[in-house]
Amino acid sequence: MKPSLVSCIVPVFNGERYLGEALESILAQTYRPREIIVVDDGSTDTTPAVAALYGDRVLYIRQDNAGAPSARNRGLSLARGEFVAFLDADDLWRSEKLQRQIRQFESRPELDLSVTYLQNFWVAELKDEETRFKGHRLSEPVPGYVTQTLFARRSAFDRVGLFNESLKVGDPTDWFLRAAERGLATEMLSDVLVDRRMHESNMSMQPGTRRMTSRMED
């Protein structure tokens, strides 16, 4: 498959701390995508300046704050590739992520979408939490039915529809359920190809404990 076939979409809100690392992980892919689309969902920090450092290597689009599903949908409306892939601005792709998924479609032309396993990792400030979850399923590789692992034909969204912008969390789960209901051909790669960063601003809080539900769904 030619590099011109894949569009990478990066939704971001106040992502100045991690956006550069996310973009570098895309640029380091062994398969070069056609385009990288950064959709800034109304950031109030220096996210625009970080994106500007990459010049014409990324297409930067800004919109009023409307939530991650809206930002993903905006990226889809601009994508020119036959395939699309998504990466949250605080997460990372491993270098062979796109290439491994491209090969799935080469060997199975009937595929509509591919997902992979992912590995959670904790920032240094949450070292105590990382230690507490050692040996827990959250510290082990898990099947990634989340947008960060998703590699799909652009036409899959014509069949399934866009991400549900009315949902605050869980819009990826909603989309995958609709894809299953419509019988889209899906394949799971058992390799870990995405690293999902656990940090204070992407987890909701409950008295006396930290609850990771919202982060596990995005």
Side-chain angles (χ1 to χ4, degrees):
M1 291 187 182
K2 298 179 181 179
S4 61
L5 292 179
V6 183
S7 298
C8 300
I9 299 169
V10 182
V12 57
F13 174 71
N14 287 347
E16 62 182 4
R17 182 175 179 183
Y18 304 120
L19 175 60
E21 291 182 58
L23 294 177
E24 291 293 341
S25 79
I26 297 176
L27 293 168
Q29 291 294 299
T30 54
Y31 177 93
R32 189 180 72 256
R34 172 176 185 169
E35 59 190 357
I36 303 171
I37 303 170
V38 175
V39 182
D40 184 348
D41 190 40
S43 295
T44 57
D45 64 0
T46 62
T47 289
V50 175
L53 294 173
Y54 291 86
D56 60 7
R57 290 182 292 175
V58 306
L59 172 63
Y60 172 82
I61 301 295
R62 183 178 175 86
Q63 65 177 27
D64 292 337
N65 182 252
S70 173
R72 293 186 186 105
N73 290 340
R74 180 73 181 279
L76 279 167
S77 73
L78 299 168
R80 297 174 295 169
E82 181 181 341
F83 295 87
V84 292
F86 302 85
L87 180 61
D88 285 1
D90 47 2
D91 295 329
L92 304 169
W93 282 345
R94 299 195 181 180
S95 61
E96 294 187 352
K97 196 260 188 190
L98 295 182
Q99 187 170 61
R100 293 294 305 280
Q101 291 181 294
I102 281 285
R103 288 174 181 169
Q104 287 182 288
F105 283 83
E106 290 176 335
S107 62
R108 290 189 59 194
E110 76 279 9
L111 271 184
D112 295 303
L113 59 102
S114 163
V115 290
T116 79
Y117 272 58
L118 62 82
Q119 176 70 60
N120 294 317
F121 72 101
W122 282 257
V123 296
E125 295 90 333
L126 297 179
K127 187 66 177 178
D128 289 345
E129 182 169 281
E130 180 181 13
T131 300
R132 190 167 71 250
F133 280 102
K134 188 174 182 179
H136 188 278
R137 65 179 182 84
L138 295 178
S139 65
E140 302 297 329
V142 294
Y145 285 97
V146 292
T147 55
Q148 300 96 305
T149 74
L150 177 61
F151 184 97
R153 295 187 188 278
R154 177 63 183 81
S155 59
F157 289 87
D158 296 328
R159 296 167 60 187
V160 177
L162 299 176
F163 295 104
N164 188 340
E165 297 182 14
S166 69
L167 297 176
K168 297 296 184 183
V169 295
D171 60 287
T173 300
D174 170 79
W175 191 87
F176 280 111
L177 288 173
R178 284 187 280 131
E181 289 172 353
R182 286 159 179 77
L184 268 68
T186 304
E187 186 168 324
M188 167 73 71
L189 265 173
S190 60
D191 300 298
V192 175
L193 295 172
V194 176
D195 292 298
R196 180 168 53 184
R197 191 189 315 260
M198 313 306 290
H199 56 90
E200 289 180 338
S201 60
N202 66 16
M203 303 177 203
S204 59
M205 298 291 292
Q206 287 184 344
T209 187
R210 184 178 300 276
R211 178 174 173 270
M212 288 185 280
T213 302
S214 62
R215 182 55 177 153
M216 307 316 289
E217 293 178 338
D218 66 19

